Amino acid sequence: MATRIRANRNAIFTRLFGGSIAVAREYVAAFLIRCHVGPNVLTFLGLLSTLTAAVLLARGGGDLIGCGTGESFYAFAAAWMIILAASFDILDGAVARNSRQISKLGGFLDSSLDRIADAAIFIGILIYYLNHPEKNHARLLAVLTVVALTNSELISYFKARAENFIESCPVGYWQRGERIAGILIGLFCGHIGTVMVMLAVLPALTVLRRLIFAARQIHRLDKNLPLLDPA
């Protein structure tokens, strides 16, 4: 347990804001439990919010926020829908835990729908650039968005696959919270293309790190050697 806690320090976003978010989460979760709202309902509401954000991203994810030429409020609205989806994602686990409704089905739905949600965000941005070839470097940004989507899915896949053989594979800085935070900053600033460049490059290092870490751990298991500390 101590090893896992130390490894979780890699999540920068969680480390900076986790304490305040956790306090608010518990209060809201208690209210939802009193209203008899189940965790799976929150999970599906989170997916619905993300799909709505994806539609907004496809319409104007790369626009500047405003009413002028080339400006719109699609990116602004999409950002807030992503924040809403993240809120549901934070709350479903708290509601399940505090109401003692934790189940294998709930865990499966939560992790699986997160992958769909991640893909929807990137696909929305991809459609935007495909529909706006007049934007600077639109074709390149469309390709980089696909690479960013691939990185996002591989980070989660490598972790899930590795944990079939080892207890945990939490290494790497570009976890889901960091990726979502980057996308939100890009939307509010009107520079989602810059974020796609960043997410096409930097999370690839997390993919590589998880691959190497898992391979080394599994090799040590095969040789009956002590496992490495993820921290």
Side-chain angles (χ1 to χ4, degrees), residues 51-76:
L51 294 177
T52 303
V55 173
L56 294 168
L57 289 170
R59 295 293 303 274
D63 294 344
L64 293 173
I65 297 173
C67 300
T69 303
E71 297 177 341
S72 72
F73 286 95
Y74 286 117
F76 183 79

PDB file of all heavy atoms in Angstrom, residues 51-76:
ATOM      1  N   LEU A  51     -19.990  13.172 -24.456  1.00  0.00           N
ATOM      2  CA  LEU A  51     -20.458  13.091 -25.842  1.00  0.00           C
ATOM      3  C   LEU A  51     -21.013  14.432 -26.310  1.00  0.00           C
ATOM      4  O   LEU A  51     -20.826  14.824 -27.469  1.00  0.00           O
ATOM      5  CB  LEU A  51     -21.519  11.999 -25.967  1.00  0.00           C
ATOM      6  CG  LEU A  51     -21.033  10.561 -25.720  1.00  0.00           C
ATOM      7  CD1 LEU A  51     -22.201   9.580 -25.812  1.00  0.00           C
ATOM      8  CD2 LEU A  51     -19.933  10.182 -26.708  1.00  0.00           C
ATOM      9  N   THR A  52     -21.689  15.143 -25.407  1.00  0.00           N
ATOM     10  CA  THR A  52     -22.159  16.488 -25.735  1.00  0.00           C
ATOM     11  C   THR A  52     -20.980  17.408 -26.010  1.00  0.00           C
ATOM     12  O   THR A  52     -20.987  18.199 -26.970  1.00  0.00           O
ATOM     13  CB  THR A  52     -23.012  17.050 -24.585  1.00  0.00           C
ATOM     14  OG1 THR A  52     -24.104  16.177 -24.324  1.00  0.00           O
ATOM     15  CG2 THR A  52     -23.538  18.436 -24.936  1.00  0.00           C
ATOM     16  N   ALA A  53     -19.943  17.294 -25.176  1.00  0.00           N
ATOM     17  CA  ALA A  53     -18.735  18.091 -25.389  1.00  0.00           C
ATOM     18  C   ALA A  53     -18.098  17.763 -26.733  1.00  0.00           C
ATOM     19  O   ALA A  53     -17.607  18.659 -27.434  1.00  0.00           O
ATOM     20  CB  ALA A  53     -17.738  17.837 -24.254  1.00  0.00           C
ATOM     21  N   ALA A  54     -18.100  16.485 -27.111  1.00  0.00           N
ATOM     22  CA  ALA A  54     -17.501  16.080 -28.386  1.00  0.00           C
ATOM     23  C   ALA A  54     -18.224  16.726 -29.562  1.00  0.00           C
ATOM     24  O   ALA A  54     -17.583  17.159 -30.535  1.00  0.00           O
ATOM     25  CB  ALA A  54     -17.537  14.556 -28.515  1.00  0.00           C
ATOM     26  N   VAL A  55     -19.551  16.813 -29.492  1.00  0.00           N
ATOM     27  CA  VAL A  55     -20.324  17.474 -30.558  1.00  0.00           C
ATOM     28  C   VAL A  55     -19.952  18.949 -30.631  1.00  0.00           C
ATOM     29  O   VAL A  55     -19.752  19.510 -31.726  1.00  0.00           O
ATOM     30  CB  VAL A  55     -21.835  17.314 -30.305  1.00  0.00           C
ATOM     31  CG1 VAL A  55     -22.637  18.134 -31.310  1.00  0.00           C
ATOM     32  CG2 VAL A  55     -22.226  15.840 -30.386  1.00  0.00           C
ATOM     33  N   LEU A  56     -19.815  19.588 -29.479  1.00  0.00           N
ATOM     34  CA  LEU A  56     -19.428  20.996 -29.443  1.00  0.00           C
ATOM     35  C   LEU A  56     -18.015  21.202 -29.982  1.00  0.00           C
ATOM     36  O   LEU A  56     -17.734  22.175 -30.687  1.00  0.00           O
ATOM     37  CB  LEU A  56     -19.522  21.523 -28.010  1.00  0.00           C
ATOM     38  CG  LEU A  56     -20.938  21.585 -27.412  1.00  0.00           C
ATOM     39  CD1 LEU A  56     -20.871  21.848 -25.915  1.00  0.00           C
ATOM     40  CD2 LEU A  56     -21.772  22.652 -28.107  1.00  0.00           C
ATOM     41  N   LEU A  57     -17.126  20.269 -29.668  1.00  0.00           N
ATOM     42  CA  LEU A  57     -15.757  20.348 -30.174  1.00  0.00           C
ATOM     43  C   LEU A  57     -15.725  20.225 -31.692  1.00  0.00           C
ATOM     44  O   LEU A  57     -14.951  20.911 -32.369  1.00  0.00           O
ATOM     45  CB  LEU A  57     -14.898  19.252 -29.535  1.00  0.00           C
ATOM     46  CG  LEU A  57     -14.568  19.428 -28.053  1.00  0.00           C
ATOM     47  CD1 LEU A  57     -13.926  18.170 -27.497  1.00  0.00           C
ATOM     48  CD2 LEU A  57     -13.655  20.623 -27.841  1.00  0.00           C
ATOM     49  N   ALA A  58     -16.549  19.335 -32.219  1.00  0.00           N
ATOM     50  CA  ALA A  58     -16.602  19.171 -33.670  1.00  0.00           C
ATOM     51  C   ALA A  58     -17.097  20.436 -34.359  1.00  0.00           C
ATOM     52  O   ALA A  58     -16.683  20.760 -35.476  1.00  0.00           O
ATOM     53  CB  ALA A  58     -17.501  17.986 -34.024  1.00  0.00           C
ATOM     54  N   ARG A  59     -17.962  21.180 -33.674  1.00  0.00           N
ATOM     55  CA  ARG A  59     -18.501  22.414 -34.258  1.00  0.00           C
ATOM     56  C   ARG A  59     -17.511  23.575 -34.162  1.00  0.00           C
ATOM     57  O   ARG A  59     -17.448  24.407 -35.069  1.00  0.00           O
ATOM     58  CB  ARG A  59     -19.814  22.797 -33.547  1.00  0.00           C
ATOM     59  CG  ARG A  59     -20.952  21.812 -33.740  1.00  0.00           C
ATOM     60  CD  ARG A  59     -21.433  21.786 -35.182  1.00  0.00           C
ATOM     61  NE  ARG A  59     -21.861  23.092 -35.648  1.00  0.00           N
ATOM     62  CZ  ARG A  59     -23.091  23.579 -35.471  1.00  0.00           C
ATOM     63  NH1 ARG A  59     -24.005  22.860 -34.832  1.00  0.00           N
ATOM     64  NH2 ARG A  59     -23.405  24.777 -35.933  1.00  0.00           N
ATOM     65  N   GLY A  60     -16.756  23.674 -33.065  1.00  0.00           N
ATOM     66  CA  GLY A  60     -15.887  24.838 -32.921  1.00  0.00           C
ATOM     67  C   GLY A  60     -14.809  24.696 -31.875  1.00  0.00           C
ATOM     68  O   GLY A  60     -14.462  25.677 -31.206  1.00  0.00           O
ATOM     69  N   GLY A  61     -14.247  23.500 -31.741  1.00  0.00           N
ATOM     70  CA  GLY A  61     -13.249  23.262 -30.708  1.00  0.00           C
ATOM     71  C   GLY A  61     -11.981  24.079 -30.865  1.00  0.00           C
ATOM     72  O   GLY A  61     -11.312  24.387 -29.882  1.00  0.00           O
ATOM     73  N   GLY A  62     -11.656  24.460 -32.100  1.00  0.00           N
ATOM     74  CA  GLY A  62     -10.442  25.226 -32.341  1.00  0.00           C
ATOM     75  C   GLY A  62     -10.664  26.713 -32.482  1.00  0.00           C
ATOM     76  O   GLY A  62      -9.730  27.465 -32.786  1.00  0.00           O
ATOM     77  N   ASP A  63     -11.908  27.168 -32.257  1.00  0.00           N
ATOM     78  CA  ASP A  63     -12.216  28.587 -32.371  1.00  0.00           C
ATOM     79  C   ASP A  63     -11.760  29.343 -31.124  1.00  0.00           C
ATOM     80  O   ASP A  63     -11.726  28.797 -30.020  1.00  0.00           O
ATOM     81  CB  ASP A  63     -13.726  28.810 -32.536  1.00  0.00           C
ATOM     82  CG  ASP A  63     -14.253  28.262 -33.856  1.00  0.00           C
ATOM     83  OD1 ASP A  63     -13.426  27.993 -34.754  1.00  0.00           O
ATOM     84  OD2 ASP A  63     -15.482  28.107 -33.966  1.00  0.00           O
ATOM     85  N   LEU A  64     -11.447  30.624 -31.318  1.00  0.00           N
ATOM     86  CA  LEU A  64     -11.264  31.504 -30.176  1.00  0.00           C
ATOM     87  C   LEU A  64     -12.623  31.801 -29.567  1.00  0.00           C
ATOM     88  O   LEU A  64     -13.655  31.767 -30.253  1.00  0.00           O
ATOM     89  CB  LEU A  64     -10.588  32.807 -30.609  1.00  0.00           C
ATOM     90  CG  LEU A  64      -9.138  32.693 -31.098  1.00  0.00           C
ATOM     91  CD1 LEU A  64      -8.670  34.041 -31.643  1.00  0.00           C
ATOM     92  CD2 LEU A  64      -8.228  32.221 -29.971  1.00  0.00           C
ATOM     93  N   ILE A  65     -12.643  32.090 -28.268  1.00  0.00           N
ATOM     94  CA  ILE A  65     -13.901  32.386 -27.594  1.00  0.00           C
ATOM     95  C   ILE A  65     -14.282  33.845 -27.847  1.00  0.00           C
ATOM     96  O   ILE A  65     -13.497  34.762 -27.579  1.00  0.00           O
ATOM     97  CB  ILE A  65     -13.782  32.117 -26.084  1.00  0.00           C
ATOM     98  CG1 ILE A  65     -13.513  30.622 -25.841  1.00  0.00           C
ATOM     99  CG2 ILE A  65     -15.047  32.547 -25.350  1.00  0.00           C
ATOM    100  CD1 ILE A  65     -13.210  30.286 -24.398  1.00  0.00           C
ATOM    101  N   GLY A  66     -15.479  34.065 -28.384  1.00  0.00           N
ATOM    102  CA  GLY A  66     -15.931  35.421 -28.649  1.00  0.00           C
ATOM    103  C   GLY A  66     -16.983  35.455 -29.730  1.00  0.00           C
ATOM    104  O   GLY A  66     -17.470  34.407 -30.184  1.00  0.00           O
ATOM    105  N   CYS A  67     -17.331  36.663 -30.166  1.00  0.00           N
ATOM    106  CA  CYS A  67     -18.397  36.841 -31.158  1.00  0.00           C
ATOM    107  C   CYS A  67     -17.889  37.371 -32.490  1.00  0.00           C
ATOM    108  O   CYS A  67     -18.689  37.666 -33.385  1.00  0.00           O
ATOM    109  CB  CYS A  67     -19.464  37.802 -30.616  1.00  0.00           C
ATOM    110  SG  CYS A  67     -20.248  37.242 -29.089  1.00  0.00           S
ATOM    111  N   GLY A  68     -16.573  37.509 -32.636  1.00  0.00           N
ATOM    112  CA  GLY A  68     -16.026  38.059 -33.869  1.00  0.00           C
ATOM    113  C   GLY A  68     -15.856  37.012 -34.942  1.00  0.00           C
ATOM    114  O   GLY A  68     -16.253  35.843 -34.793  1.00  0.00           O
ATOM    115  N   THR A  69     -15.233  37.410 -36.048  1.00  0.00           N
ATOM    116  CA  THR A  69     -14.974  36.495 -37.155  1.00  0.00           C
ATOM    117  C   THR A  69     -14.011  35.397 -36.699  1.00  0.00           C
ATOM    118  O   THR A  69     -12.962  35.676 -36.132  1.00  0.00           O
ATOM    119  CB  THR A  69     -14.358  37.255 -38.342  1.00  0.00           C
ATOM    120  OG1 THR A  69     -15.239  38.309 -38.727  1.00  0.00           O
ATOM    121  CG2 THR A  69     -14.131  36.309 -39.506  1.00  0.00           C
ATOM    122  N   GLY A  70     -14.382  34.152 -36.957  1.00  0.00           N
ATOM    123  CA  GLY A  70     -13.551  33.027 -36.536  1.00  0.00           C
ATOM    124  C   GLY A  70     -13.643  32.708 -35.060  1.00  0.00           C
ATOM    125  O   GLY A  70     -12.868  31.896 -34.546  1.00  0.00           O
ATOM    126  N   GLU A  71     -14.580  33.367 -34.388  1.00  0.00           N
ATOM    127  CA  GLU A  71     -14.760  33.137 -32.947  1.00  0.00           C
ATOM    128  C   GLU A  71     -16.127  32.520 -32.687  1.00  0.00           C
ATOM    129  O   GLU A  71     -17.073  32.697 -33.473  1.00  0.00           O
ATOM    130  CB  GLU A  71     -14.624  34.449 -32.176  1.00  0.00           C
ATOM    131  CG  GLU A  71     -13.259  35.096 -32.291  1.00  0.00           C
ATOM    132  CD  GLU A  71     -13.187  36.436 -31.580  1.00  0.00           C
ATOM    133  OE1 GLU A  71     -14.259  37.027 -31.312  1.00  0.00           O
ATOM    134  OE2 GLU A  71     -12.061  36.898 -31.297  1.00  0.00           O
ATOM    135  N   SER A  72     -16.249  31.805 -31.589  1.00  0.00           N
ATOM    136  CA  SER A  72     -17.519  31.205 -31.191  1.00  0.00           C
ATOM    137  C   SER A  72     -17.433  30.848 -29.715  1.00  0.00           C
ATOM    138  O   SER A  72     -16.389  31.016 -29.080  1.00  0.00           O
ATOM    139  CB  SER A  72     -17.835  29.956 -32.025  1.00  0.00           C
ATOM    140  OG  SER A  72     -16.980  28.884 -31.647  1.00  0.00           O
ATOM    141  N   PHE A  73     -18.515  30.339 -29.207  1.00  0.00           N
ATOM    142  CA  PHE A  73     -18.540  29.897 -27.802  1.00  0.00           C
ATOM    143  C   PHE A  73     -18.591  28.373 -27.701  1.00  0.00           C
ATOM    144  O   PHE A  73     -18.868  27.834 -26.633  1.00  0.00           O
ATOM    145  CB  PHE A  73     -19.724  30.531 -27.061  1.00  0.00           C
ATOM    146  CG  PHE A  73     -19.509  31.991 -26.758  1.00  0.00           C
ATOM    147  CD1 PHE A  73     -19.993  32.958 -27.614  1.00  0.00           C
ATOM    148  CD2 PHE A  73     -18.803  32.385 -25.636  1.00  0.00           C
ATOM    149  CE1 PHE A  73     -19.791  34.304 -27.358  1.00  0.00           C
ATOM    150  CE2 PHE A  73     -18.594  33.722 -25.351  1.00  0.00           C
ATOM    151  CZ  PHE A  73     -19.086  34.686 -26.219  1.00  0.00           C
ATOM    152  N   TYR A  74     -18.322  27.688 -28.813  1.00  0.00           N
ATOM    153  CA  TYR A  74     -18.347  26.228 -28.787  1.00  0.00           C
ATOM    154  C   TYR A  74     -17.250  25.662 -27.875  1.00  0.00           C
ATOM    155  O   TYR A  74     -17.490  24.733 -27.097  1.00  0.00           O
ATOM    156  CB  TYR A  74     -18.180  25.666 -30.198  1.00  0.00           C
ATOM    157  CG  TYR A  74     -19.404  25.824 -31.063  1.00  0.00           C
ATOM    158  CD1 TYR A  74     -19.372  26.605 -32.209  1.00  0.00           C
ATOM    159  CD2 TYR A  74     -20.600  25.174 -30.735  1.00  0.00           C
ATOM    160  CE1 TYR A  74     -20.495  26.738 -33.010  1.00  0.00           C
ATOM    161  CE2 TYR A  74     -21.717  25.300 -31.529  1.00  0.00           C
ATOM    162  CZ  TYR A  74     -21.669  26.087 -32.670  1.00  0.00           C
ATOM    163  OH  TYR A  74     -22.797  26.230 -33.459  1.00  0.00           O
ATOM    164  N   ALA A  75     -16.043  26.200 -27.979  1.00  0.00           N
ATOM    165  CA  ALA A  75     -14.942  25.708 -27.153  1.00  0.00           C
ATOM    166  C   ALA A  75     -15.225  25.961 -25.684  1.00  0.00           C
ATOM    167  O   ALA A  75     -14.947  25.108 -24.824  1.00  0.00           O
ATOM    168  CB  ALA A  75     -13.632  26.375 -27.569  1.00  0.00           C
ATOM    169  N   PHE A  76     -15.780  27.132 -25.367  1.00  0.00           N
ATOM    170  CA  PHE A  76     -16.116  27.481 -23.987  1.00  0.00           C
ATOM    171  C   PHE A  76     -17.151  26.506 -23.427  1.00  0.00           C
ATOM    172  O   PHE A  76     -17.001  25.982 -22.314  1.00  0.00           O
ATOM    173  CB  PHE A  76     -16.653  28.910 -23.943  1.00  0.00           C
ATOM    174  CG  PHE A  76     -16.978  29.406 -22.560  1.00  0.00           C
ATOM    175  CD1 PHE A  76     -15.980  29.847 -21.710  1.00  0.00           C
ATOM    176  CD2 PHE A  76     -18.289  29.435 -22.117  1.00  0.00           C
ATOM    177  CE1 PHE A  76     -16.280  30.307 -20.432  1.00  0.00           C
ATOM    178  CE2 PHE A  76     -18.605  29.895 -20.850  1.00  0.00           C
ATOM    179  CZ  PHE A  76     -17.600  30.335 -20.005  1.00  0.00           C
TER     180      PHE A  76
END
